């Protein structure tokens, strides 16, 4: 049996053991959705890092650094700085105010169900976007593990394992799988960074010099450390800024990260867990930079992508005669062709090249663990939004037993996971980091303004919140659909809508609030402030 | 929600705590740190894309070996995030002591 299969089977066996062990304690609401709030700050920090370090970071961002240099690293820096916003502004108050979901926080001062419903819908949209990105990652990983396997088959089979974990193991199993995954991720990254540095005689300067001499970069950029190879020209520069707004504010609105804050006993623990998460993430991004530069110099940006050899390669060349000369040259010199550049392949190719079968096997198993655990975290977060907000409020009009909500949560997990699998099957080929960038934009536009203003602005009214959240969400989606990613003749020139949608959401919320009056919201602000600051009255 | 919660407060209790000097001071101290620190985080990060937008050539200039001003600034942001994290842990530890004192006082009054 190949080492790849051994590592994968070992991890999957561990997943099943964890799910089985946790299943006994997932009968009630607190057990299924919040792991009985008994996770420690440090453990939750590792799990938060696990949720955050998705396939987008491990595969997508590393590949983007390898191919696009600075512009790829920009993603990582944005994700890191976003953690600070979450730590400073939201971690502690969210734990002290809410019970299970974002809607608990934005709905704390609001009468009626409209606010909670909009908040849940936006959370579900973010979760499905993020899930699709992870599922695309699963296709890539399993395809490199078992050559010849169709991405659709890979996505469906791994998706099914993830669903089993979430449905039976709930939040507790998801948390422990995240912790195991973070340990594997760190080990893989350390091994890869070590191998890259060893290749350059343990001289980071030699690596930097080698990366600096690379040419043939996209859009005629002459230096891998310069901006412009991914976001090029003046429009690209605006797009970079727009993405930055989405990244730095988006993390604080990601439902699956915020849900984690409810698994610890107190607000202080929530803050500590975000701090530990940030330490893990920042170390990981430094390793990621080394690995990305290593892939750029050792593999070469032009050779990052799916490799075709033998009859597959010949069949492809015959079907694409316009590139026949270049592809034939590749086939005769390398023994394979790379028809399309695909950043997501950088890590597996580098691992195989530097570490041989064993390191490749471990890295591939790690990548599989990464996407599986993150999809599990996203699915349970979506299930909580559906069961605790939408089902409980709309379908059952606040009259729903704990047992029913847990059952609905399990069914919702199955539904959300299945939708994501179906979408991902038709979505492969897109860069994971780019899709995640879009999810961040939605989170920054719809959730972040609502959370910040709910927690810190007394004058906020229900009407203001509803208009702001709806406008943020709608603008974000309209601009994405009118943008270059979805339209051949784009009405909006940027891929990332954050530069318009985030300020608009803030502005709309503030203006409408100033022109409307809401005594109840105002009255409840003191209660919110006392509970958020002291934890008195917080959910146990 | 059917969730249990610690000591549910009446509206009068909330009003009393919210009006107390101790609580007002705590909120003010918290805001005095959190708001500038958050603004600094967002501005320092967005300075990077803004400077590339406004001064692309300057930010593409290699400063140390092949490393450009933009790349060095991005590396610097990692350092900034660590410093800010360390500082916030220190400040929040101090605020935790004040919060614990406030909660003790509030609980005594509630009894």
């Amino acid at each position: 049996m190949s080492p790849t299969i051994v590592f994968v089977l070992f991890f999957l066996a561990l997943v099943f053991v964890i799910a089985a062990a946790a299943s006994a304690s997932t009968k009630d609401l607190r057990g299924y959705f919040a792991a009985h709030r008994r996770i420690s700050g440090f453990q939750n920090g590792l799990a938060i890092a696990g949720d955050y370090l998705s396939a987008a970071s491990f595969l997508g961002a590393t590949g983007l650094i390898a191919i696009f240099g600075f512009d790829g690293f920009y993603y990582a820096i944005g994700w890191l700085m976003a953690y600070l916003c979450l730590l400073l502004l939201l971690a502690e108050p969210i734990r002290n105010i809410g019970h299970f979901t974002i809607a608990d926080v934005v709905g704390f001062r609001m009468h009626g169900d409209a606010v909670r419903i909009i908040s849940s819908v936006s959370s579900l949209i973010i979760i499905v976007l993020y899930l699709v990105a992870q599922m695309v990652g699963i296709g890539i990983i399993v395809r490199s593990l078992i050559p010849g396997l169709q991405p659709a088959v890979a996505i469906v089979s791994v998706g099914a394992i993830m669903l089993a974990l979430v449905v039976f193991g709930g939040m507790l199993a998801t948390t422990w799988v995240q912790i195991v995954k973070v340990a594997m991720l760190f080990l893989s990254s350390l091994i890869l960074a070590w191998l890259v540095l060893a290749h350059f005689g343990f001289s980071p300067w030699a690596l930097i010099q080698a990366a600096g001499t690379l040419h043939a970069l996209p859009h005629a950029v002459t230096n891998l450390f310069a901006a412009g190879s991914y976001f090029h020209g003046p429009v690209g520069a605006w797009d970079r800024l727009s993405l930055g707004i989405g990244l730095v504010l988006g993390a604080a609105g990601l439902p699956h990260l915020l849900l984690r804050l409810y698994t610890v006993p107190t607000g202080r623990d929530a803050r500590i867990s975000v701090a530990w998460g940030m330490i893990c993430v920042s170390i990981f991004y430094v390793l990621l930079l080394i690995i990305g530069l290593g892939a750029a110099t050792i593999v070469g940006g032009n050779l990052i992508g799916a490799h075709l050899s033998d009859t597959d390669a010949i069949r492809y060349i015959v079907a694409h005669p316009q590139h026949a000369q270049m592809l034939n040259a590749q086939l005769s010199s390398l023994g394979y062709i790379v028809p399309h550049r695909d950043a997501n392949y950088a890590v597996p190719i580098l691992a195989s090249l530097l570490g041989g079968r064993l390191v490749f096997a471990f890295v591939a198993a790690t990548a599989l663990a990464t996407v599986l655990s993150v999809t599990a975290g996203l699915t349970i977060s979506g299930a909580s939004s559906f069961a605790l907000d939408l089902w409980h409020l709309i379908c059952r009009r606040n009259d729903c037993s704990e047992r029913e909500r847990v059952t609905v949560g399990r069914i919702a997990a199955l539904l959300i996971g299945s939708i994501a699998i179906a979408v991902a099957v038709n979505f492969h080929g897109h860069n994971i980091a780019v899709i995640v960038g879009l999810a961040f934009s939605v989170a920054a536009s719809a959730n972040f303004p609502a959370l910040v203003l709910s927690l810190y602005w007394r004058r906020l009214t229900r009407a203001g919140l509803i208009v702001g959240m709806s406008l943020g969400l709608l603008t974000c989606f309209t601009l994405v659909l009118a943008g270059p990613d979805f339209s051949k003749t784009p009405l909006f020139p940027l891929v990332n809508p954050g530069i318009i949608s985030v300020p608009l959401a803030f502005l709309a919320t503030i203006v409408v609030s100033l022109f409307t009056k809401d005594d109840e919201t105002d009255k409840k602000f003191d209660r919110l402030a006392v509970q958020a600051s002291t934890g008195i009255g917080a959910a146990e | 929600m059917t969730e249990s919660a610690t000591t549910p407060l009446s509206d009068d209790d909330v009003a009393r705590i919210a009006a107390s000097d101790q609580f007002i001071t705590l909120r003010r101290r918290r805001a005095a740190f959190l708001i500038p620190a958050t603004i600094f985080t967002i501005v320092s990060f967005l300075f990077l894309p803004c400077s590339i937008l406004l001064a692309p050539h300057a930010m593409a200039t290699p400063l140390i070996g092949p490393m450009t001003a933009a790349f060095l600034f991005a590396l610097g942001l990692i350092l900034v995030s660590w410093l800010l994290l360390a500082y916030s842990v220190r400040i929040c530890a101090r605020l935790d002591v004040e919060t614990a004192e406030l909660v003790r006082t509030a609980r005594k009054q509630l009894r």
Side-chain angles (χ1 to χ4, degrees), chain A residues 11-26:
Chain A
F11 175 73
L12 292 181
L14 204 61
V15 167
F16 279 112
V17 168
I18 291 171
S23 63
S25 63
T26 59

Side-chain angles (χ1 to χ4, degrees), chain A residues 320-341:
Chain A
H320 299 83
Q322 68 274 29
H323 304 302
Q325 198 178 353
M326 186 265 288
L327 293 170
N328 275 323
Q330 242 181 28
L331 188 63
S332 55
S333 63
L334 302 166
Y336 60 83
I337 60 167
V338 183
H340 305 288
R341 240 182 350 196

Side-chain angles (χ1 to χ4, degrees), chain A residues 141-333:
Chain A
I141 291 305
V142 182
R143 257 191 304 173
S144 29
L145 282 171
I146 311 164
L149 184 68
Q150 286 301 309
V153 177
I155 289 167
V156 171
S157 23
V158 182
I161 298 167
M162 173 274 293
L163 284 177
L165 170 74
V166 176
V167 170
F168 297 109
M171 181 52 101
L172 186 61
T174 309
T175 303
W176 280 103
V177 168
Q178 294 286 20
I179 292 171
V180 170
K181 164 269 187 92
V182 160
M184 287 173 73
L185 197 60
F186 262 88
L187 192 57
S188 286
S189 307
L190 277 172
I191 291 170
L192 277 178
W194 175 273
L195 288 172
V196 167
L197 288 174
H199 187 86
F200 289 95
F202 292 100
S203 164
W205 185 244
L207 170 65
I208 289 165
Q209 291 281 24
T213 57
L214 289 173
H215 297 296
L217 299 170
H219 302 291
V221 171
T222 52
N223 183 349
L224 194 70
F225 297 100
S229 52
Y230 191 76
F231 300 102
H232 53 94
V235 174
W238 281 103
D239 220 346
R240 190 185 295 107
L241 173 61
S242 190
L243 172 74
I245 293 169
L247 292 180
V248 77
L249 305 179
L254 290 177
H256 66 299
L257 285 192
L258 300 178
L259 184 75
R260 288 234 142 269
L261 302 174
Y262 299 122
T263 63
V264 292
T266 65
R268 182 176 169 272
D269 291 312
R271 204 183 62 227
I272 289 170
S273 61
V274 176
W276 275 114
M278 194 180 153
I279 291 169
C280 292
V281 167
S282 58
I283 294 170
F284 176 78
Y285 284 147
V286 173
L287 296 174
L288 185 144
L289 177 64
I290 295 169
I291 298 166
L293 292 179
T297 50
I298 297 165
V299 179
N302 290 330
L303 298 179
I304 294 173
H307 289 184
L308 294 183
S309 54
D310 303 328
T311 48
D312 291 337
I314 293 164
R315 213 174 291 145
Y316 186 88
I317 295 171
V318 170
H320 299 83
Q322 68 274 29
H323 304 302
Q325 198 178 353
M326 186 265 288
L327 293 170
N328 275 323
Q330 242 181 28
L331 188 63
S332 55
S333 63

Side-chain angles (χ1 to χ4, degrees), chain A residues 80-92:
Chain A
L80 175 63
M81 297 305 279
Y83 242 93
L84 277 171
C85 291
L86 178 61
L87 172 76
L88 296 166
L89 275 187
L90 299 176
E92 194 173 349

Side-chain angles (χ1 to χ4, degrees), chain A residues 441 444-445 449 471-472 475-476 479 497-506:
Chain A
S441 291
S445 311
L471 203 64
T475 314
C476 198
L479 294 179
I499 198 165
I500 305 284
S501 57
V502 176
L504 196 66
F506 267 109

Side-chain angles (χ1 to χ4, degrees), chain A residues 78-122:
Chain A
W79 284 325
L80 175 63
M81 297 305 279
Y83 242 93
L84 277 171
C85 291
L86 178 61
L87 172 76
L88 296 166
L89 275 187
L90 299 176
E92 194 173 349
I94 281 183
R95 171 61 189 88
N96 284 340
I97 293 297
H99 291 251
F100 297 106
T101 62
I102 292 180
D104 292 337
V105 180
V106 293
F108 186 88
R109 293 157 63 192
M110 306 296 158
H111 58 92
D113 296 335
V115 167
R116 292 182 70 103
I117 290 166
I118 295 169
S119 168
S120 310
V121 169
S122 78

